[in-house]
Amino acid sequence: MASAEYRELLERVRELSTLEQVAGILTWDERTYMQPGSAPDRAKHNAAISGIMHERLASKEMGRLIRSLKKQELSADGAVILRAVERKWRIASSIPGDLVKEVSRTQSLATNAWVKARAESRFELLGPWLEKMIGLKLEVAEHAGYEDRPYDALLDEFEPYAKSRDIDAVFARLKHKLIPLAARILDEPGFDALVPKGKYPVAAQRGFVAGLITDMGFNMDRGRIDVSAHPFTSGACRDVRITVRYDEADPSYAVFPAMHEAGHALYEQGFPEKYYGTPLAEAVSMSIHESQSRLWENMVGRSRPFWSFYYPKFRQAFPAFKKMPAASFYRHVNAVRRSHIRTDADEVTYNLHIMLRYDVERALFDGELKVSEMPSYWNELFEKYLGIPVPDDARGCLQDIHWAAGSFGYFPTYALGNIYAAQLWDAAKRQVPDLDERIGAGDLNALLAWLRRNVHRHGKRYDASGLIKKATGEGLNEDHFIGYLKEKYGALYGISL
Amino acid sequence: MASAEYRELLERVRELSTLEQVAGILTWDERTYMQPGSAPDRAKHNAAISGIMHERLASKEMGRLIRSLKKQELSADGAVILRAVERKWRIASSIPGDLVKEVSRTQSLATNAWVKARAESRFELLGPWLEKMIGLKLEVAEHAGYEDRPYDALLDEFEPYAKSRDIDAVFARLKHKLIPLAARILDEPGFDALVPKGKYPVAAQRGFVAGLITDMGFNMDRGRIDVSAHPFTSGACRDVRITVRYDEADPSYAVFPAMHEAGHALYEQGFPEKYYGTPLAEAVSMSIHESQSRLWENMVGRSRPFWSFYYPKFRQAFPAFKKMPAASFYRHVNAVRRSHIRTDADEVTYNLHIMLRYDVERALFDGELKVSEMPSYWNELFEKYLGIPVPDDARGCLQDIHWAAGSFGYFPTYALGNIYAAQLWDAAKRQVPDLDERIGAGDLNALLAWLRRNVHRHGKRYDASGLIKKATGEGLNEDHFIGYLKEKYGALYGISL
């Protein structure tokens, strides 16, 4: 029987979760329906909600409860919840309120500066803000604490319990294998897979992707699909809301962001009912979240079995595609190109974009790189990894909002997500031997059931590394990702990789 | 120079306002885009936000600040803010938390029961819940305090400082004049003003009403217009969001809810910039709010000058209306009918529906009427006021959600709003002698400017009665409303009223 203190902790945890859900709805609204003139008011709403959450999380009562419960015998569930709450409480109560506010204020000003800097491709407009932000984030790291490097404290915010020394090792191996592999693929002649010319109405595209994500298992009775400039997933508990962007000249364009965001959404909607409102119904980390989105987007959505079932449906929705053979369409959705912009990158080159960013931010926080040297360091690495020069900073180190927003330590989770996705995909195929056939027959539920059982139902019970070991039998291993690329692109180009 | 305590009060007031704005966005979302399956989660969000608001409003610190500031010399603005906050604080801190929760729980259960009772027209399904709710509300009234009757404490929630004895007097006079006047109009033969048959696309209707409310002065850069089953206005500060409902068979249908809700919205968007977040940027009361919506909907939107400008535009948007002469259209939008449903009622009979509800709820709270006798009392009054029998309780005392939701004391504010609207309209016409001509020339700004100056800019500086005296030179007076009806409908029917 749970103690009164444990019940009080649960009540506080649930209230914090509820406030986080409210913030999720506000974020969704801000990026979909809120009119631009209301942005200053919305900033106040966000500040009020996060201020109240911080006040309640870092409160003395919370500290008292946590210290007392640590001495008590808790159930397995209780121990998971306590560990997750203690982690958040420790971080929240270690960082002074004034520093939190200063970071938040600097984020607003720096992202404004970034918008202008990127538009005009002038790094000097952003540089001083990045210096300030890095200084503040180093302070945050000192308060939060770390073992090896200040950077680890920042990484920990997005990827709990991860260490940069482990990421260094896996990225070094991945880089070593991926740079020549990508170069080999990129050196092959490209395909001329032209999309039939036409204007494909958004309503028909929305119908197709809504049907598809419903087939995936997305619960449309609770969640939504809308439009925004940059696709994202937000919401509250099982009220998960995803957004996509449509290209009226190419209806295949929206399919991949839709499957990506639906992959995130299936995770959020897939925790055990009774745990919602607690860390047992929360994602492990950003990398595990990303493994879910990338698995559906790439391993499923860009596969032959998937399109063998869905291309006929796609052609029904967009009859002009009857002119485009299935093989050409498959090549079209798997085109590999040298490109400057991360968000446009294909699955072969994407991790190179990420590892470059990781190298840059690690060097900045280790004091090995000055902010003023960042553009030239970026450009040098870019040519080394991708094989083409960077034409300007707008298409170089100014392209992403993350650093201006103070999100150092976020980028590596994208690549970790890709690696984990390949590991999970291999494990699922081993355990469900006819998985490809099922997907080819339009049955996406076999994969979802496997993910529910091996990933979703655990919530935060394990950390990322523990979860992957349990689900796949081994820890972080880039070989599955490399093997996946070799097999797929070898077959596609008819070359041996 | 403001004292530190006053600054602290302002900070607390602004935080409460911010939370109320967040609740406004959640309400809007709930009634527009949220999927039905997420209703239970949303109930938790609402409970968390209102719980935090109550905790902060009824806190000891708030009481301490208020008591201390009452002894200090404040600016005129400061005195208004203090009075408004003290009022809310006194009510919040006088009602026990358990009672608040019990009312809230009963509201949910009673409104569920009401949905079923109305659908099946079975009063006995709702009766016991109404009895329970009335009991709880009587308890609330005892805690909140009142001068004459418990009912006044409930009325005060929607119409601060109003007393039922004043409403009794004005409703008695209004009833005495309106019942025979309405009967006289209703006895005239109706008009056969047939709307041209066709399917009028929602997109075109939306375009027309969006243009119209922009002409009225609605700030679309901050607010929105969407669709919901029951039109409403919600939002956050100047991010005011209105909804309408479209009838694809009659594009004039949406014009009136749009103008009604835009009338509410212009009030919310029209407070002085610097006061947002304080009671000086809040509506006086529900009746004053309703005066704004009804003035735009009826005095402007159902007037000849308005349509002399807008009917040509309306016909451009819906060319089939070229078959319908302007005079027929004007009669169509001013049709007066005996009807059972309040929300369908025209401006002549509407107040009779309201006064009936007021009579019923007053009798319930004065202990003169048992809940079980309510249907027969309703039916008896209905035939007396409207001249037709009530066919069943679904179209009788079960039609509105208000009582099941515990909103006793809300109904009279609708009729007060209509009376105030007519008073403001007369005052505006006196002070802007060419107002009709301006509206006929498509200039809606003259009226808005008058309302900004005489109503909006004051926020909660005066109570309803004080504001109306200041704006019109006299207190609540139903004669303006009666005079407005006589003049308009006398001319329309060519009879002397």
Side-chain angles (χ1 to χ4, degrees):
Chain A
M1 145 112 213
S3 70
E5 280 178 324
Y6 180 69
R7 287 196 302 274
E8 196 191 329
L9 182 81
L10 262 191
E11 203 172 298
R12 286 171 183 268
V13 164
R14 290 214 175 92
E15 193 200 41
L16 284 168
S17 165
T18 304
L19 290 172
E20 201 148 350
Q21 293 165 38
V22 168
I25 297 295
L26 292 179
T27 298
W28 169 82
D29 178 71
E30 187 172 343
R31 300 196 198 164
T32 51
Y33 292 103
M34 189 190 80
Q35 298 294 84
S38 294
D41 286 342
R42 182 52 52 87
K44 288 182 199 162
H45 306 153
N46 293 337
I49 297 293
S50 59
I52 290 171
M53 285 177 69
H54 185 268
E55 171 194 309
R56 286 162 123 81
L57 179 61
S59 68
K60 273 187 210 147
E61 295 78 13
M62 192 66 110
R64 183 186 51 72
L65 274 175
I66 288 169
R67 278 187 297 269
S68 171
L69 284 164
K70 283 186 78 171
K71 292 179 211 140
Q72 295 177 29
E73 188 92 27
L74 295 180
S75 67
D77 287 357
V80 174
I81 292 171
L82 182 63
R83 183 191 60 191
V85 177
E86 187 192 1
R87 190 178 165 278
K88 285 172 80 173
W89 165 79
R90 192 175 34 73
I91 296 169
S93 51
S94 66
I95 301 166
D98 284 349
L99 181 55
V100 173
K101 277 185 200 146
E102 185 59 12
V103 168
S104 159
R105 217 179 58 86
T106 307
Q107 278 170 341
S108 298
L109 298 169
T111 51
N112 285 344
W114 167 76
V115 170
K116 196 168 150 68
R118 186 174 72 156
E120 302 177 11
S121 196
R122 287 171 61 198
F123 183 77
E124 68 273 23
L125 298 180
L126 182 63
W129 287 110
L130 285 185
E131 269 171 32
K132 171 149 198 214
M133 185 58 92
I134 289 169
L136 290 170
K137 284 286 175 172
L138 282 169
E139 268 191 72
V140 166
E142 291 306 323
H143 287 288
Y146 51 86
E147 261 175 59
D148 297 342
R149 301 184 176 94
Y151 179 81
D152 285 0
L154 310 178
L155 175 65
D156 189 80
E157 187 184 331
F158 307 105
E159 197 60 23
Y161 311 107
K163 299 279 173 272
S164 59
R165 60 170 179 260
D166 302 325
I167 297 178
D168 287 351
V170 72
F171 279 12
R173 294 195 303 270
L174 179 60
K175 227 182 285 178
H176 182 71
K177 296 166 189 169
L178 186 55
I179 293 174
L181 177 65
R184 176 84 177 80
I185 294 171
L186 288 162
D187 285 345
E188 286 295 309
F191 302 114
D192 248 357
L194 288 179
V195 168
K197 277 209 168 49
K199 198 186 165 193
Y200 301 93
V202 164
Q205 295 194 42
R206 194 198 176 281
F208 182 80
V209 299
L212 168 55
I213 65 172
T214 304
D215 291 352
M216 284 168 63
F218 181 77
N219 183 349
M220 200 71 103
D221 181 47
R222 291 193 124 149
R224 296 187 48 84
I225 175 165
D226 293 276
V227 173
S228 71
H230 300 282
F232 70 92
T233 299
S234 188
C237 270
R238 289 139 295 192
D239 181 359
V240 183
R241 303 179 180 194
I242 71 173
T243 66
V244 296
R245 195 168 50 165
Y246 299 101
D247 177 354
E248 288 196 312
D250 181 0
S252 76
Y253 176 84
V255 169
F256 302 98
M259 292 186 77
H260 180 101
E261 302 305 332
H264 284 304
L266 291 174
Y267 192 12
E268 292 289 330
Q269 289 187 328
F271 302 115
E273 185 76 20
K274 66 174 172 177
Y275 289 137
Y276 276 93
T278 80
L280 285 163
E282 283 172 16
V284 173
S285 70
M286 296 306 300
S287 75
I288 299 297
H289 231 310
E290 194 72 3
S291 76
Q292 300 305 294
S293 56
R294 299 294 272 182
L295 196 158
W296 285 102
E297 176 191 0
N298 290 331
M299 281 77 185
V300 178
R302 289 191 160 92
S303 73
R304 273 194 206 279
F306 176 81
W307 285 110
S308 78
F309 182 83
Y310 278 99
Y311 196 49
K313 288 176 168 275
F314 186 82
R315 280 171 153 174
Q316 256 179 333
F318 312 105
F321 276 77
K322 289 186 176 133
K323 282 182 284 184
M324 191 175 195
S328 307
F329 183 79
Y330 178 68
R331 287 197 300 263
H332 171 59
V333 301
N334 281 295
V336 183
R337 287 188 197 87
R338 287 189 171 90
S339 66
H340 296 101
I341 303 297
R342 174 184 62 86
T343 53
D344 295 341
D346 51 81
E347 60 180 335
V348 174
T349 57
Y350 190 87
N351 286 343
L352 296 173
H353 290 265
I354 296 304
M355 289 189 285
L356 177 161
R357 284 155 177 77
Y358 178 72
D359 291 344
V360 171
E361 63 183 25
R362 278 270 282 95
L364 285 169
F365 276 86
D366 284 358
E368 292 164 4
L369 182 71
K370 288 189 209 143
V371 167
S372 60
E373 301 161 342
M374 193 218 268
S376 58
Y377 188 52
W378 174 293
N379 296 350
E380 185 193 316
L381 288 180
F382 194 87
E383 198 153 352
K384 202 165 120 192
Y385 294 174
L386 275 299
I388 49 170
V390 175
D392 52 43
D393 291 339
R395 281 171 283 181
C397 65
L398 288 175
Q399 68 184 268
D400 294 308
I401 194 174
H402 299 57
W403 290 334
S407 295
F408 296 97
Y410 193 118
F411 281 124
T413 70
Y414 290 129
L416 294 174
N418 285 322
I419 297 172
Y420 285 144
Q423 293 186 249
L424 292 168
W425 180 239
D426 274 354
K429 291 215 285 189
R430 277 198 310 276
Q431 291 171 38
V432 186
D434 60 346
L435 189 56
D436 272 345
E437 290 71 36
R438 293 221 197 169
I439 291 173
D443 170 14
L444 302 177
N445 192 51
L447 176 61
L448 179 61
W450 190 88
L451 292 169
R452 287 268 187 265
R453 203 164 50 244
N454 290 281
V455 178
H456 304 174
R457 77 180 165 103
H458 297 306
K460 269 197 196 311
R461 193 173 297 276
Y462 310 104
D463 65 9
S465 153
L467 180 81
I468 292 297
K469 271 186 203 134
K470 198 174 155 67
T472 71
E474 61 179 334
L476 182 62
N477 179 354
E478 75 288 354
D479 278 337
H480 297 269
F481 177 71
I482 293 290
Y484 160 78
L485 290 186
K486 282 186 175 171
E487 188 185 329
K488 176 170 175 179
Y489 290 90
L492 183 60
Y493 286 84
I495 53 178
S496 134
L497 291 168
Chain B
M1 146 108 212
S3 70
E5 280 178 322
Y6 180 68
R7 286 196 303 273
E8 196 191 329
L9 182 81
L10 263 191
E11 204 173 297
R12 286 171 183 268
V13 163
R14 291 215 174 92
E15 192 200 42
L16 284 168
S17 165
T18 304
L19 291 172
E20 201 149 349
Q21 292 165 39
V22 168
I25 297 295
L26 291 179
T27 298
W28 170 84
D29 178 71
E30 185 172 346
R31 300 195 198 165
T32 51
Y33 293 103
M34 191 190 80
Q35 298 294 85
S38 295
D41 286 341
R42 183 52 53 88
K44 288 182 199 162
H45 306 154
N46 293 337
I49 297 293
S50 59
I52 291 170
M53 286 177 69
H54 185 268
E55 170 194 308
R56 285 162 124 79
L57 179 60
S59 68
K60 273 186 211 148
E61 295 78 14
M62 192 65 112
R64 183 186 51 74
L65 274 176
I66 288 169
R67 278 187 297 270
S68 170
L69 284 165
K70 283 185 80 171
K71 292 178 210 140
Q72 295 177 30
E73 188 92 29
L74 294 180
S75 66
D77 287 357
V80 174
I81 291 170
L82 182 64
R83 183 191 61 192
V85 177
E86 188 192 0
R87 191 178 165 279
K88 285 172 81 175
W89 165 79
R90 190 175 36 72
I91 296 168
S93 50
S94 67
I95 301 167
D98 285 350
L99 181 55
V100 173
K101 277 186 199 143
E102 184 60 11
V103 168
S104 159
R105 216 178 59 86
T106 308
Q107 278 170 342
S108 297
L109 298 168
T111 51
N112 285 343
W114 167 77
V115 169
K116 195 168 152 70
R118 185 174 72 157
E120 302 176 11
S121 197
R122 288 169 62 199
F123 183 77
E124 67 273 22
L125 298 180
L126 182 63
W129 287 109
L130 285 186
E131 270 171 32
K132 169 146 200 218
M133 184 58 92
I134 289 168
L136 290 170
K137 284 286 175 172
L138 282 168
E139 269 191 73
V140 167
E142 291 307 323
H143 286 288
Y146 52 85
E147 260 174 62
D148 297 342
R149 302 184 175 95
Y151 180 79
D152 285 0
L154 310 178
L155 174 65
D156 189 78
E157 188 186 329
F158 306 105
E159 197 61 21
Y161 310 107
K163 298 279 172 273
S164 59
R165 60 170 180 262
D166 301 325
I167 296 177
D168 287 352
V170 72
F171 279 11
R173 294 196 303 271
L174 180 60
K175 225 181 284 179
H176 182 71
K177 295 165 187 168
L178 186 55
I179 292 173
L181 176 65
R184 176 83 177 80
I185 294 171
L186 288 162
D187 286 345
E188 286 295 310
F191 301 115
D192 249 356
L194 289 179
V195 167
K197 278 208 167 51
K199 197 184 166 195
Y200 301 93
V202 164
Q205 295 195 43
R206 195 198 177 277
F208 182 80
V209 299
L212 169 55
I213 65 173
T214 304
D215 290 353
M216 284 168 65
F218 181 77
N219 183 350
M220 200 70 101
D221 181 47
R222 290 193 124 151
R224 297 187 46 85
I225 174 164
D226 293 276
V227 172
S228 71
H230 300 282
F232 70 92
T233 300
S234 187
C237 269
R238 289 138 295 191
D239 181 1
V240 183
R241 304 179 180 194
I242 70 173
T243 66
V244 296
R245 196 168 50 166
Y246 299 101
D247 177 354
E248 288 197 312
D250 182 359
S252 75
Y253 176 84
V255 169
F256 302 99
M259 292 185 78
H260 180 102
E261 303 304 333
H264 284 306
L266 291 174
Y267 191 13
E268 291 290 331
Q269 290 187 328
F271 301 116
E273 186 76 21
K274 66 174 171 177
Y275 290 137
Y276 276 92
T278 79
L280 284 162
E282 284 171 16
V284 172
S285 70
M286 296 306 299
S287 76
I288 298 297
H289 231 309
E290 194 73 4
S291 76
Q292 300 305 295
S293 56
R294 299 294 272 181
L295 195 158
W296 285 103
E297 176 191 358
N298 290 331
M299 281 77 186
V300 177
R302 289 191 161 92
S303 74
R304 273 193 206 281
F306 176 80
W307 285 110
S308 77
F309 183 83
Y310 278 99
Y311 196 49
K313 287 174 169 279
F314 185 83
R315 281 171 153 174
Q316 257 179 331
F318 312 106
F321 277 76
K322 291 191 173 127
K323 283 182 284 184
M324 190 176 196
S328 307
F329 183 79
Y330 177 68
R331 288 196 300 264
H332 169 60
V333 301
N334 281 294
V336 183
R337 287 188 196 89
R338 286 187 172 92
S339 66
H340 295 101
I341 305 297
R342 174 184 62 87
T343 54
D344 294 342
D346 52 80
E347 60 180 335
V348 175
T349 57
Y350 189 88
N351 285 343
L352 296 172
H353 290 265
I354 296 305
M355 288 189 286
L356 177 162
R357 284 157 177 76
Y358 178 73
D359 290 345
V360 171
E361 63 183 23
R362 278 270 282 95
L364 285 168
F365 277 85
D366 284 358
E368 291 164 5
L369 182 70
K370 288 188 208 144
V371 167
S372 59
E373 302 161 342
M374 194 219 269
S376 58
Y377 188 54
W378 174 293
N379 297 349
E380 183 193 317
L381 287 180
F382 194 88
E383 197 151 356
K384 202 165 120 194
Y385 294 174
L386 274 300
I388 49 171
V390 175
D392 51 44
D393 290 339
R395 281 171 284 181
C397 64
L398 287 175
Q399 67 183 268
D400 294 307
I401 194 175
H402 299 57
W403 291 334
S407 294
F408 296 98
Y410 192 118
F411 281 125
T413 70
Y414 291 130
L416 294 174
N418 285 321
I419 297 171
Y420 285 144
Q423 292 187 248
L424 291 168
W425 180 239
D426 274 356
K429 292 215 285 189
R430 278 197 312 276
Q431 292 172 38
V432 187
D434 59 346
L435 189 56
D436 272 346
E437 289 71 36
R438 292 220 198 170
I439 291 173
D443 170 13
L444 302 177
N445 192 52
L447 177 61
L448 179 60
W450 190 88
L451 292 169
R452 288 268 186 265
R453 204 163 51 243
N454 290 281
V455 178
H456 305 174
R457 79 180 162 101
H458 297 307
K460 271 197 194 313
R461 193 173 297 277
Y462 311 104
D463 65 8
S465 153
L467 180 80
I468 291 297
K469 271 186 202 132
K470 197 173 155 68
T472 72
E474 62 178 334
L476 183 63
N477 179 353
E478 75 287 355
D479 277 337
H480 298 269
F481 177 71
I482 293 290
Y484 160 79
L485 290 185
K486 283 186 174 170
E487 189 185 326
K488 177 171 175 177
Y489 289 89
L492 184 61
Y493 286 83
I495 53 177
S496 135
L497 292 167

